[in-house]
Amino acid sequence: MSSVAASISPAANPPAAPVAPESLPDAAGRFGAFGGCYVPETLMTALQEIAAVYEAARHDPAYIAELDRHLKEFAGRPTELYFAERLTAHCGGAKIYFKREDLLHTGAHKINNALGQVLLAKRMGKPRIIAETGAGQHGVATAAVCAKFGFKCRIYMGAVDMERQSLNVFRMRLMGAEVVGVEAGQKTLKDAVNEAMRDWVTNVRDTHYILGSALGAHPYPMMVRDFHRVIGKEARAQLIEREGRLPDEVIACVGGGSNAMGVFFDFLKDESVRLVGVEAGGHGIRQGEHAARFEGGKLGVLQGCKTYILQNPDGQIELTHSVSAGLDYAAIGPEHAYYRDTGRIRYAFACDDEVMETFQLCSRLEGIIPALESTHAIVEGVKRAAQMGKDEILLINLSGRGDKDVAQVAKLLGVKLF
Ligand SMILES: *Cc1c(COP(=O)(O)O)cnc(C)c1O
């Protein structure tokens, strides 16, 4: 796998003047210098069809009402806004609130997007769904919506990830999905995406590809973001009702970037609200040992879009590492690259050891076991809350629950479960 970093000069990427968030991406799918649509010609028609069907659907009251109904009845929206009282006392600063996406059906925010897209597939009359998955969360969400709506479903997953996440593989199969192991490359997420794209090129007439993050070719980054905007919209209204005002800071973890763009989007225009995305620092910022794309990543093209990518000078994709599989990917969503360059969103990273500690801290103080991905946001939140005043409000997006992670954590802590 190689990207085309060498052909893009940094001079092509001057800091952009701020524009209205709703005007992005442009018609070509660009967020400033990022994004776009870099795919084989055979997929262009399918992507244009998705863009057109999505554009019609998002203005169609019948589609909106149907999606809202399933988000409520099947996924469990709205999710609660939760005051983390003991964590707040522990930090001794800002009031910490969690947006409880961990309470959603299948355990994370991913169901918001899976529902939105399966309803689009229905509108397009495509009876077959494919998807890729790393940790298995997006695969489980996709398998669930396919079962519910009667779609044929095939999930591509790296062979190494299948081994690490065997419970999620079994969940998907229980719900009728075919899970295909990918033996190419590192046998992880990037390789699963390649296989899914290959399948799509071959079967594009009857198949819709439910991409799982705010990544890939246009219109995916925009569409996936829009399906998750409900997170920020709800949180904004809930905080105004609870506290009579907006938060001072919002923090979310960033894998591809979908839960973060979803919670951030409706605060982008509020200059008083600081926005912080947290990447995976893994073992530390050394080549091959982390997945913090803004710490040493370079501009390039990978799997459909132009963005920051961890790659070597030849454009070969670097190995990545994180204790949380959902953040372990070499590229970041293009909209994040744009807001990082304009300075509207700040990016930090959390390392595995901090994540392991905070995972236990949150469980012990709040009775909530967070996903390892979401724990990255809590690590930064705990640091920030201590620096902020007691009259300030910090909102953390709890993107998912940690049930899927307890076996891994037990192993890392040296606890034998079975
Ligand atoms: C998949 C996943 C993530 C990372 O994906 P984004 O697109 O960056 O949101 C974060 N948290 C949880 C719980 C996940 O399952």
Side-chain angles (χ1 to χ4, degrees), residues 98-114:
F98 289 163
K99 179 62 174 161
R100 299 289 309 273
E101 295 297 292
D102 63 311
L103 294 176
L104 287 174
H105 180 45
T106 66
H109 65 291
K110 294 211 167 64
I111 195 87
N112 300 326
N113 169 53

Side-chain angles (χ1 to χ4, degrees), residues 146-267:
C146 286
K148 174 173 169 52
F149 292 97
F151 281 75
K152 221 175 141 185
C153 177
R154 175 183 278 190
I155 307 288
Y156 289 96
M157 191 168 184
V160 167
D161 289 335
M162 279 179 79
E163 179 92 32
R164 289 194 287 208
Q165 298 285 342
S166 55
L167 257 173
N168 272 341
V169 173
F170 187 58
R171 280 193 188 102
M172 291 181 246
R173 287 179 173 156
L174 275 175
M175 292 186 283
E178 180 193 359
V179 183
V180 176
V182 177
E183 297 286 349
Q186 274 181 265
K187 309 181 187 187
T188 59
L189 178 60
K190 170 170 63 65
D191 314 294
V193 175
N194 286 338
E195 274 312 305
M197 301 261 283
R198 219 162 277 146
D199 180 315
W200 204 30
V201 169
T202 313
N203 300 297
V204 66
R205 281 165 158 274
D206 76 340
T207 300
H208 175 64
Y209 177 13
I210 302 191
L211 205 144
S213 189
L215 269 170
H218 180 67
Y220 282 105
M222 168 186 79
M223 192 166 75
V224 177
R225 168 200 78 194
D226 288 349
F227 288 134
H228 289 300
R229 276 181 63 181
V230 64
I231 306 171
K233 278 195 186 124
E234 283 178 11
R236 199 174 199 283
Q238 287 166 325
L239 261 175
I240 288 172
E241 194 186 320
R242 266 299 249 289
E243 293 277 355
R245 67 181 188 90
L246 295 177
D248 298 283
E249 191 157 320
V250 184
I251 303 183
C253 65
V254 185
S258 68
N259 87 90
M261 271 330 298
V263 72
F264 290 162
F265 196 86
D266 282 65
F267 295 107

Side-chain angles (χ1 to χ4, degrees), residues 349-365:
F349 60 87
C351 292
D352 290 359
D353 52 352
E354 305 173 286
V355 168
M356 286 293 291
E357 211 168 283
T358 302
F359 178 88
Q360 296 167 78
L361 181 77
C362 180
S363 302
R364 216 165 48 231
L365 290 181

